[in-house]
Amino acid sequence: MYWAKLQATTIRERVFDALNKNLNYNTELILGLPGTYLDQGQFYNFPFLKEAAFLSVLVNNPNHIGCHTYSEGEKYFSGTQQLEIDLLRICAVEILGAEESGYDGYVAPGGTEANIQAQWMYRNYFMQNENAKAKEIGVIFSEDAHYSVYKGSNLLGIHPITVKVEHDTREILLDDLNKKLEEAYNKGIRYLIIHLSMGTTIFGSVDSPEPVLKLVKQYFKHYFVHVDAAFGGFIYPFSSQKKDLSFENPEISSITIDGHKMLQSPYGTGVFLCRKSLIEYVQTPEASYVYGSDFTLCGSRSGANAISMWMILMTHGSEGWSRIIQELIDRADYLCNALNEMGIKYYRNPDMNIITIDANEISEGIAEKYYLVADNYLKPQWRKVVVMAHVKKEMIDLFLLDLKKEREVLISK
Ligand SMILES: *Cc1c(COP(=O)(O)O)cnc(C)c1O
């Protein structure tokens, strides 16, 4: 994995160069484009924009509609689209092990859309190539998977199939998987979308594809595997040696990776990636006025989102980003060691930065004071700490001190 770090001034120049290759509403004779010249009462050319590359793109408002790894897209905004293409290459090839030019993708509004896009694509593939009916298609996932899998299956009219996990290890229970596969097959389901997680939202747990696929193959001939790395995609590939959820594994056909979780980019930065020869199944040929056609769920989308991710990746380079992740992992280790000493029960994948503490081990007061998110806010069983950039050692120490005090009071009673 390697991409170079760039100086702040170089990043700014590259973004402004890209912007200059886009169409400019202020200087050109644009009669036909509705694509939006922002309201000038609010978004005029503030003097400070000259310094602020991302905000300049936001105000310039390029439309990145379409899928630029597949076709050229609206030529009006080809400058900034080129940076999106570069961003997608880093995500797909450098981080997730795809072959050069072996993938398609786009910057989606978020992980939810990217997950739905995957289900939509596979559903259409099964319907068009295998003559499948929607009711013969299922999507299978662990009970810790993100709730967007339910949204997608609801929208697309396909069956959601939830598999239980072991309470302490959060691993998919193979007995339950076997049972659910058999039930699905007996119900007439013949086509399967396997939704695996690289970092679940509450636990940071990471699914193992191998045992799951071994069982699936006993029942199903037709399946695709989608990996939801919305949360883990900018951590796990940097902290773990394992590649079985990346494109290096030929079983994996698509991946969601969000910028607006771990990469600290603004909302609107989910990334959808899939292998070549799949995105065609979600092409909307009726989008005839869109140059290059449309392959996405959302349609129009701001180029500024892609630029924000690109700028962050260029600021750190692969080495810098690896160091940042290592620091987070070290800090998570530090917290876990302290919890071990206190005998507090928790779940953590050692290559992730989420520590999910048994709700019985911690008072509601502390959970509220430190904004720990519960798995179920009505009936919490677990509460999580996410060690992100702003969670410094000092903050962890305060939390540990409070925990210790609380336990001393409990023990002395
Ligand atoms: C946050 C998250 C999503 C959904 O992402 P949005 O960007 O909120 O749509 C999907 N999957 C996982 C694992 C997530 O953590």
Side-chain angles (χ1 to χ4, degrees):
M1 182 193 315
Y2 183 79
W3 73 89
K5 169 189 161 95
L6 299 179
Q7 294 299 323
T9 47
T10 315
I11 294 174
R12 199 162 62 210
E13 274 167 29
R14 292 272 308 268
V15 174
F16 279 115
D17 280 351
L19 211 46
N20 286 334
K21 291 182 187 128
N22 285 3
L23 209 65
N24 187 331
Y25 291 104
N26 284 320
T27 54
E28 277 160 281
L29 303 171
I30 301 170
L31 294 182
L33 275 187
T36 302
Y37 182 43
L38 289 185
D39 183 287
Q40 292 301 291
Q42 299 299 325
F43 302 102
Y44 54 92
N45 241 334
F46 300 102
F48 67 83
L49 287 180
K50 279 195 227 24
E51 302 297 319
F54 165 68
L55 292 177
S56 287
V57 182
L58 199 65
V59 167
N60 189 267
N61 204 27
N63 193 349
H64 280 204
I65 192 167
C67 173
H68 315 304
T69 52
Y70 184 92
S71 56
E72 277 193 13
E74 297 280 22
K75 45 193 179 295
Y76 321 117
F77 308 111
S78 58
T80 49
Q81 282 164 7
Q82 204 53 47
L83 293 186
E84 172 167 339
I85 291 171
D86 196 29
L87 160 72
L88 294 170
R89 193 197 69 80
I90 291 174
C91 294
V93 177
E94 301 296 345
I95 300 176
L96 295 166
E99 293 197 6
E100 292 283 350
S101 311
Y103 59 90
D104 283 307
Y106 70 101
V107 177
T112 297
E113 168 160 326
N115 286 342
I116 296 172
Q117 174 90 5
Q119 289 184 17
W120 184 31
M121 188 174 79
Y122 300 133
R123 186 200 68 161
N124 288 1
Y125 178 99
F126 290 137
M127 290 171 120
Q128 288 171 33
N129 281 18
E130 312 291 343
N131 228 353
K133 297 186 187 68
K135 65 171 201 275
E136 295 173 315
I137 305 170
V139 50
I140 195 161
F141 48 88
S142 98
E143 61 178 308
D144 288 342
H146 187 262
Y147 67 87
S148 52
V149 289
Y150 291 100
K151 267 191 203 177
S153 57
N154 180 277
L155 281 165
L156 294 164
I158 59 181
H159 288 279
I161 307 165
T162 317
V163 182
K164 293 201 182 89
V165 300
E166 207 275 316
H167 184 271
D168 290 341
T169 65
R170 311 315 294 181
E171 276 176 25
I172 289 176
L173 282 169
L174 295 177
D175 283 350
D176 193 55
L177 175 63
N178 196 39
K179 185 173 141 231
K180 298 289 164 61
L181 288 168
E182 192 178 338
E183 279 172 15
Y185 191 86
N186 291 339
K187 261 201 326 215
I189 290 173
R190 292 291 177 273
Y191 307 91
L192 214 54
I193 300 163
I194 303 157
H195 175 105
L196 300 177
S197 303
M198 182 195 284
T200 56
T201 314
I202 300 294
F203 295 93
S205 50
V206 177
D207 291 327
S208 290
E210 212 245 358
V212 172
L213 290 176
K214 210 169 137 199
L215 269 181
V216 165
K217 285 177 192 175
Q218 291 179 13
Y219 293 90
F220 292 89
K221 200 165 75 188
H222 304 285
Y223 66 84
F224 281 104
V225 185
H226 173 71
V227 172
D228 182 357
F231 185 83
F234 283 106
I235 313 169
Y236 193 75
F238 298 86
S239 56
S240 164
Q241 299 301 315
K242 281 203 183 152
K243 308 273 185 217
D244 56 356
L245 288 175
S246 80
F247 287 118
E248 285 186 38
N249 180 351
E251 296 276 12
I252 309 298
S253 295
S254 56
I255 303 180
T256 294
I257 171 170
D258 271 14
H260 61 218
K261 295 273 175 75
M262 276 314 292
L263 196 65
Q264 299 169 266
S265 56
Y267 288 118
T269 49
V271 174
F272 173 76
L273 296 166
C274 63
R275 288 187 192 278
K276 278 283 181 211
S277 308
L278 286 168
I279 200 103
E280 292 85 334
Y281 291 92
V282 281
Q283 180 169 26
T284 305
E286 293 84 356
S288 55
Y289 72 83
V290 181
Y291 189 85
S293 185
D294 194 14
F295 300 79
T296 69
L297 201 50
C298 57
S300 292
R301 53 197 179 86
S302 170
N305 292 325
I307 301 303
S308 73
M309 287 184 76
W310 182 87
M311 290 176 73
I312 294 171
L313 291 175
M314 292 303 123
T315 300
H316 300 291
S318 48
E319 283 162 9
W321 190 253
S322 301
R323 265 199 308 277
I324 288 176
I325 295 304
Q326 190 53 49
E327 273 171 35
L328 296 180
I329 297 290
D330 290 346
R331 256 181 269 157
D333 287 348
Y334 173 76
L335 172 55
C336 285
N337 288 337
L339 294 177
N340 289 342
E341 269 173 35
M342 281 190 260
I344 290 181
K345 191 177 153 194
Y346 62 88
Y347 171 86
R348 180 190 170 208
N349 179 309
D351 293 317
M352 293 289 294
N353 59 339
I354 297 182
I355 295 126
T356 310
I357 302 173
D358 189 323
N360 297 317
E361 302 272 12
I362 203 165
S363 73
E364 225 160 276
I366 290 190
E368 267 180 32
K369 178 172 175 189
Y370 292 95
Y371 300 91
L372 307 193
V373 171
D375 59 332
N376 178 331
Y377 74 93
L378 292 174
K379 215 177 62 185
Q381 281 194 292
W382 298 92
R383 297 184 187 276
K384 71 167 173 177
V385 173
V386 187
V387 182
M388 298 205 36
H390 63 276
V391 182
K392 303 280 190 241
K393 184 169 169 294
E394 295 72 33
M395 220 192 275
I396 295 175
D397 282 334
L398 283 178
F399 171 68
L400 288 170
L401 210 62
D402 276 345
L403 262 181
K404 269 190 194 130
K405 272 193 222 146
E406 188 173 88
R407 292 176 86 76
E408 274 159 20
V409 172
L410 275 178
I411 291 163
S412 66
K413 266 190 193 162

